[in-house]
Amino acid sequence: MNYILLGPPGAGKGTQAKKIVEYFAIVHLSTGDMFREAKKSNEALSKFLSSGQLVPDEIVINMIKERLEKDDIKKGFLFDGFPRTIKQTEELEIILKSKNLKIDAVFLINIYFEEVIKRITGRRVCECGTSYNIGMIPSKEDGKCDRCGRKLIQRNDDKEDVAKERFTVYGKQTKPLIGYYKKIGLLVNIEGAKDEKDVFEQIKRHIKAKNDK
Ligand code: AP5
């Protein structure tokens, strides 16, 4: 069971990824999370993330290559936020082929611009990894994490101007992947402007149908 979650920033990839990996007991591979962790000690990375630009392909591909060396990926994995360019897509194919692995489906979370901006600018996150949304999925106590009580913060790249830039970058560099995966029969369209449970049900239904055959 190896999958890719594709979709614009704020589509709900991270939210769905957590549910999918927990339910199906597979490994979550989020390049965004990996870069947010790495940027703490890497000034150059920080610049790409806070401006809404993509990290150069070579850096991304090397990081993924290294990650796929770990044994845990044998359980199955879910890419969240990777690949994001045609170059990354082609390189991923080469890496997987060399390991005798393949992608079973690419879930495209479809969502429109206004909803994305609303979700991103309303997002508040906790260091423990929990994500909230001030308009749609609020914490019980304002500004505090329900799970660990720490203070919630806004990601640097969630300010409106950077969020809009990320959406533009998605349109130019990542959207072409839709045609690529459609052509090879892996693309599965998911209606993203529904509540979290509903979106998860759509993905779960597809995975179960394929694996129950
Ligand atoms: P990354 O972290 O991957 O950001 P992204 O793709 O822009 O996605 P987001 O994390 O913003 O949104 P999401 O789709 O995960 O939505 P979420 O579930 O959080 O990447 C960050 C940066 O790292 C990039 O800009 C780039 O610089 C770099 N990078 C990463 N990967 C790279 C790569 N492969 N190549 C090059 N550079 C790379 O939900 C958003 C909000 O909506 C939350 O508040 C959530 O609570 C809420 N929400 C979720 N679902 C619903 C729902 N159904 N209804 C209502 N609210 C919802």
Side-chain angles (χ1 to χ4, degrees):
M1 273 194 201
N2 304 322
Y3 301 101
I4 292 174
L5 272 181
L6 185 63
K13 301 183 296 297
T15 304
Q16 293 304 321
K18 287 196 183 96
K19 292 178 188 291
I20 298 165
V21 299
E22 193 184 330
Y23 191 89
F24 291 102
I26 58 176
V27 178
H28 183 191
L29 301 177
S30 159
T31 42
D33 286 349
M34 294 177 203
F35 287 133
R36 273 185 290 281
E37 185 53 38
K39 82 169 186 181
K40 292 176 189 164
S41 55
N42 186 328
E43 183 89 358
L45 267 186
S46 199
K47 280 188 189 147
F48 293 114
L49 268 74
S50 54
S51 64
Q53 300 304 312
L54 295 185
V55 174
D57 285 338
E58 204 188 311
I59 299 177
V60 185
I61 292 156
N62 283 336
M63 184 177 74
I64 288 296
K65 230 183 229 170
E66 207 174 291
R67 182 60 185 86
L68 290 176
E69 286 299 315
K70 292 197 179 163
D71 247 18
D72 60 351
I73 62 138
K74 287 181 186 148
K75 296 195 265 186
F77 53 82
L78 174 72
F79 281 123
D80 158 13
F82 175 86
R84 248 172 156 104
T85 63
I86 291 289
K87 173 81 180 159
Q88 290 178 21
T89 310
E90 290 168 347
E91 290 292 331
L92 175 63
E93 239 173 69
I94 297 170
I95 302 169
L96 292 180
K97 211 169 178 184
S98 74
K99 294 181 165 298
N100 244 334
L101 293 169
K102 66 176 178 61
I103 296 295
D104 298 298
V106 177
F107 297 106
L108 169 66
I109 306 187
N110 290 294
I111 193 151
Y112 47 95
F113 175 76
E114 290 77 12
E115 179 69 14
V116 155
I117 297 301
K118 197 164 88 185
R119 285 187 187 183
I120 291 184
T121 53
R123 171 168 43 198
R124 297 294 180 271
V125 293
C126 177
E127 243 180 83
C128 74
T130 315
S131 178
Y132 300 88
N133 198 286
I134 48 174
M136 293 171 271
I137 310 161
S139 55
K140 288 188 188 116
E141 198 182 328
D142 202 20
K144 257 192 176 182
C145 180
D146 294 348
R147 202 195 263 175
C148 68
R150 270 182 280 195
K151 193 172 171 245
L152 301 180
I153 54 157
Q154 184 175 35
R155 264 168 53 176
N156 271 341
D157 59 348
D158 279 352
K159 306 264 162 39
E160 191 166 342
D161 54 337
V162 186
K164 286 181 175 163
E165 178 60 19
R166 284 160 62 202
F167 195 84
T168 305
V169 167
Y170 171 80
K172 285 188 190 148
Q173 296 185 259
T174 309
K175 239 180 162 181
L177 273 59
I178 297 174
Y180 182 98
Y181 284 120
K182 195 173 177 185
K183 207 168 162 189
I184 56 172
L186 287 182
L187 196 78
V188 180
N189 276 290
I190 301 295
E191 176 50 72
K194 304 268 183 190
D195 72 31
E196 284 181 27
K197 275 191 194 149
D198 192 318
V199 179
F200 180 53
E201 280 306 316
Q202 296 176 56
I203 298 172
K204 192 167 87 179
R205 214 177 303 133
H206 179 91
I207 297 179
K208 283 192 154 186
K210 287 278 172 191
N211 287 286
D212 287 349
K213 269 183 188 169

